[in-house]
C-alpha cells in the first residue's frame, strides 16, 4: 500500500514528461516538414517516437505519419535520407532521376536544405513566443492606479481591504501609483498590520490590514526544498522556528542566515494550520543584467496581500513580451552554460532526462498554466540546443551548408560520416554527463 502513491507520482511524472516532450518534438519536426514541403523536398516519414510503430497513416502527399512505441523524441525522414539524422543514403540517391533528386533532401538547392534544417529550431522559438504572448494577452498587466483588484485569501484578521479600494496613503505616506505601495513597504519595519488610507464608496477612511509584502507563497519552484516539503501556492508563512514573521523579506533573510540548516515553517493554509520542515538549498540564480548569483533558497516567490486591477494588452504588445521572454530564456541558458564551463557555477545546474522529467511532473502538479509555461521554456531550450554547431544537430547541418555556400561543394561523404560519428559521440557524452548529474547531484 505504501508503494501505491509512489508509483502514482512516478507515473504522473513520466506522463507529464512524455506529454511535454511530444508536443515540443511535434512542433520542431513539423517545422522541418512544412518548410521542406514548401521548398519542394518530399518527407517520407513523420514520426513521433522511435521503435515499433503503434499508429500510422499515409497522407495524399505520400508522407507516412506515425506514432512509435518509444515516445522520447521524433524525426522527419526525407527522400534520400539514410536515417533519422538525415545521413545520406548513397544507393538510394544514385537510383533517383533528376526530377526525384530535386525532391530529395540531398539533391535540393542549398537554400531549400538550409531553410528546412533551420525551420525546426525556429518553430520552437515561435511556439514559445506564442505561448508567452497568449498568457499576457488573456491575463493582462497591472495598471498604475493604486486600486485594489482581486483580494488574496488570507487569515481573516489580515485582510481588511476591499476590492475597489483606492489606496491614498500607506502608514501616512502618500501613494500616487501602485508601485508606491511596495516602495514604501520596503522601508517600513515588518509589522502584523499597516494603516491604509483608502477611498471607499466615495468616502476616505483608514483601516488596518496586512503588510503589503507578506510572506505569501505565490509560486513554488520545481525540484526545490519547498516543493519537496509540500508547500503550495497560497500558503501564508506565519512563523519560522517559532519566531513570527510578517514580511516576505524576513523569510528571505532567515533562509539566508540559516545557510542550509533545517527550518520549521508554521503555515496558514486555507484556514488550517500546517507545519513543515525543510532544508534550504544552495542555488545559482540568473540575474536580469546577466551573470549569476549564488544564494540559499527554499524555492518560493512571494505574493501580495492584494492584486492590482489589470488591463488588457494589445496583440502586438503581447507578441513583443513573448519575444522578450523567449530571448531571456536563451540569454540565461547561454550564460548558464558559459558559467558552468568556466567553473563559476556548479555543473549540477545542467539537468539530464531524469531532472527534466521531474521538473515536468512538478510543473504539471501545480496546474495547467504552470505546465504550459514550462513547455514554452523547454521549447526554447530545445530550439537553442539544436542550433549548437554539433554534427547530428540542426546547427551542425547548418555549418555544413555554410561550408558548401563558401566552397561551392558539400563535405565529402567520408568526412560527413566522420563528423556525424564525432557529433553523436559528443551528444551522447553530454547526455551521460547530465544523467550523472541527475543521479548524484544534491
Amino acid at each position: 500500500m505504501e508503494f501505491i502513491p509512489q508509483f502514482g507520482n512516478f507515473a504522473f511524472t513520466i506522463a507529464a514528461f512524455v506529454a511535454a516532450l511530444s508536443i515540443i518534438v511535434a512542433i520542431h519536426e513539423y517545422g522541418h516538414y512544412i518548410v521542406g514541403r514548401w521548398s519542394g523536398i518530399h518527407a517520407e516519414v513523420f514520426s513521433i517516437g522511435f521503435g515499433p510503430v503503434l499508429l500510422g497513416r499515409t497522407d495524399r502527399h505520400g508522407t507516412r505519419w506515425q506514432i512509435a512505441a518509444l515516445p522520447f523524441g521524433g524525426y522527419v525522414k526525407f527522400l534520400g535520407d539514410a536515417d533519422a539524422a538525415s545521413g545520406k543514403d548513397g544507393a538510394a540517391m544514385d537510383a533517383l532521376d533528376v526530377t526525384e533528386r530535386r525532391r530529395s533532401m540531398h539533391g535540393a538547392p542549398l537554400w531549400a536544405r538550409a531553410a528546412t534544417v533551420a525551420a525546426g529550431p525556429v518553430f520552437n522559438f515561435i511556439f514559445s513566443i506564442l505561448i508567452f504572448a497568449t498568457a499576457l494577452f488573456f491575463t493582462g498587466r497591472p495598471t498604475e492606479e493604486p486600486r485594489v483588484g482581486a483580494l488574496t485569501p488570507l487569515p481573516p484578521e489580515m485582510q481588511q481591504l476591499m476590492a475597489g479600494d483606492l489606496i491614498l496613503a500607506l502608514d501616512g505616506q502618500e501613494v500616487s501609483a501602485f508601485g508606491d505601495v511596495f516602495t514604501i513597504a520596503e522601508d517600513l519595519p515588518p509589522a502584523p498590520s499597516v494603516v491604509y488610507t483608502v477611498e471607499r464608496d466615495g468616502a476616505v477612511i483608514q483601516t488596518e490590514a496586512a503588510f503589503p509584502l507578506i510572506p505569501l507563497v505565490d509560486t513554488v519552484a520545481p525540484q526545490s526544498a519547498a516543493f519537496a516539503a509540500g508547500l503550495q501556492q497560497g500558503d501564508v508563512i506565519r512563523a519560522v522556528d517559532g519566531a513570527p514573521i510578517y514580511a516576505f523579506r524576513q523569510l528571505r533573510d532567515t533562509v539566508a542566515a540559516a545557510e542550509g540548516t533545517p527550518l520549521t515553517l508554521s503555515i496558514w493554509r486555507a484556514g488550517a494550520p500546517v507545519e513543515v520542515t525543510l532544508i534550504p538549498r544552495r542555488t545559482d540564480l540568473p540575474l536580469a543584467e546577466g551573470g549569476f548569483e549564488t544564494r540559499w533558497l527554499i524555492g518560493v516567490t512571494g505574493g501580495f496581500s492584494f492584486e492590482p486591477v489589470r488591463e488588457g494588452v494589445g496583440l502586438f504588445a503581447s507578441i513583443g513580451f513573448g519575444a522578450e521572454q523567449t530571448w531571456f530564456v536563451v540569454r540565461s541558458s547561454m550564460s548558464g552554460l558559459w558559467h558552468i564551463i568556466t567553473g563559476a557555477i556548479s555543473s549540477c545546474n545542467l539537468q539530464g532526462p531524469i531532472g527534466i522529467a521531474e521538473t515536468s511532473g512538478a510543473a504539471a502538479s501545480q496546474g495547467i498554466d504552470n505546465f504550459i509555461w514550462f513547455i514554452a521554456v523547454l521549447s526554447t531550450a530545445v530550439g537553442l540546443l539544436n542550433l549548437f554547431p554539433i554534427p547530428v544537430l540542426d546547427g551542425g547541418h547548418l555549418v555544413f551548408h555554410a561550408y558548401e555556400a563558401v566552397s561551392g561543394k558539400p563535405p565529402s561523404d567520408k568526412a560527413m560520416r566522420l563528423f556525424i560519428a564525432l557529433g553523436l559521440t559528443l551528444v551522447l557524452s553530454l547526455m551521460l554527463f547530465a544523467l550523472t548529474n541527475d543521479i548524484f547531484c544534491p
Side-chain angles (χ1 to χ4, degrees):
M1 292 297 292
E2 292 177 355
F3 178 73
I4 290 177
Q6 297 175 20
F7 178 78
N9 290 338
F10 175 76
F12 181 81
T13 296
I14 293 299
F17 176 54
V18 169
L21 188 61
S22 297
I23 291 170
I24 293 168
V25 167
I27 294 295
H28 181 93
E29 298 302 334
Y30 187 77
H32 290 315
Y33 161 77
I34 194 64
V35 173
R37 202 179 89 185
W38 292 340
S39 303
I41 301 175
H42 173 61
E44 294 183 320
V45 179
F46 186 110
S47 180
I48 300 299
F50 299 94
V53 177
L54 302 178
L55 296 172
R57 72 173 186 87
T58 301
D59 66 14
R60 62 187 178 86
H61 300 288
T63 300
R64 177 73 175 172
W65 297 76
Q66 64 185 40
I67 297 176
L70 302 176
F72 302 109
Y75 62 91
V76 176
K77 183 179 179 296
F78 292 102
L79 181 63
D81 286 349
D83 48 44
S86 290
K88 183 178 179 181
D89 187 338
M93 289 296 297
D94 291 341
L96 300 178
D97 60 29
V98 174
T99 302
E100 290 176 321
R101 286 182 67 86
R102 171 57 184 85
R103 298 178 67 236
S104 72
M105 184 59 162
H106 304 277
L110 179 59
W111 67 266
R113 287 178 279 140
T116 300
V117 169
V122 169
F123 268 54
N124 280 132
F125 296 141
I126 292 174
F127 182 60
S128 298
I129 290 170
L130 290 178
I131 290 179
F132 293 138
T134 301
L136 180 65
F137 185 79
F138 284 104
T139 60
R141 62 186 171 195
T143 63
E144 284 298 314
E145 183 183 38
R147 188 176 296 277
V148 177
L151 293 174
T152 302
L154 297 175
E157 72 276 9
M158 296 179 68
Q159 190 59 283
Q160 301 300 320
L161 296 173
M162 297 181 62
D165 284 351
L166 179 65
I167 302 173
L168 304 176
L170 182 65
D171 197 40
Q173 301 183 53
E174 182 181 355
V175 173
S176 58
F178 193 85
D180 294 343
V181 175
F182 306 108
T183 301
I184 295 170
E186 284 289 350
D187 295 328
L188 291 178
S193 63
V194 178
V195 176
Y196 291 79
T197 303
V198 302
E199 181 182 305
R200 179 183 297 171
D201 298 328
V204 176
I205 64 170
Q206 287 189 336
T207 184
E208 289 193 4
F211 199 82
L213 302 175
I214 58 174
L216 169 73
V217 176
D218 185 46
T219 62
V220 181
Q223 294 186 291
S224 64
F227 184 83
L231 265 68
Q232 301 176 11
Q233 184 181 34
D235 285 350
V236 179
I237 301 171
R238 307 297 299 269
V240 180
D241 288 340
I245 61 172
Y246 310 107
F248 189 82
R249 68 172 182 263
Q250 289 178 288
L251 174 65
R252 184 179 61 226
D253 294 343
T254 302
V255 169
E259 296 186 337
T261 58
L263 297 173
T264 298
L265 309 183
S266 300
I267 295 169
W268 178 90
R269 177 179 295 167
V274 177
E275 275 202 356
V276 301
T277 299
L278 47 72
I279 302 176
R281 298 177 182 176
R282 198 172 180 87
T283 308
D284 298 311
L285 287 179
L287 300 173
E289 63 274 15
F292 282 77
E293 66 172 346
T294 301
R295 291 165 47 191
W296 290 99
L297 301 175
I298 61 172
V300 299
T301 60
F304 306 134
S305 57
F306 55 88
E307 294 293 329
V309 175
R310 306 186 77 87
E311 62 182 0
V313 179
L315 178 62
F316 291 108
S318 298
I319 292 174
F321 168 80
E324 290 174 3
Q325 188 66 35
T326 300
W327 174 242
F328 173 76
V329 175
V330 170
R331 190 177 71 244
S332 299
S333 299
M334 292 300 295
S335 176
L337 184 60
W338 173 251
H339 282 75
I340 289 174
I341 293 172
T342 59
I345 62 175
S346 170
S347 60
C348 287
N349 286 281
L350 184 64
Q351 285 190 332
I354 296 176
I356 297 173
E358 290 176 344
T359 306
S360 301
S365 70
Q366 296 183 63
I368 188 64
D369 51 345
N370 283 313
F371 186 54
I372 292 174
W373 190 273
F374 167 75
I375 289 175
V377 174
L378 188 58
S379 180
T380 300
V382 168
L384 176 62
L385 175 64
N386 272 277
L387 285 178
F388 284 9
I390 301 173
V392 309
L393 298 182
D394 295 330
H397 288 290
L398 290 175
V399 170
F400 296 146
H401 295 330
Y403 171 83
E404 183 179 348
V406 172
S407 66
K409 61 180 181 179
S412 67
D413 291 345
K414 182 178 180 180
M416 286 292 293
R417 286 193 294 269
L418 176 62
F419 285 133
I420 293 295
L422 291 174
L424 185 59
T425 300
L426 180 59
V427 169
L428 291 176
S429 299
L430 182 62
M431 289 180 61
L432 181 60
F433 177 74
L435 184 60
T436 59
N437 280 354
D438 292 340
I439 297 172
F440 296 111
C441 283

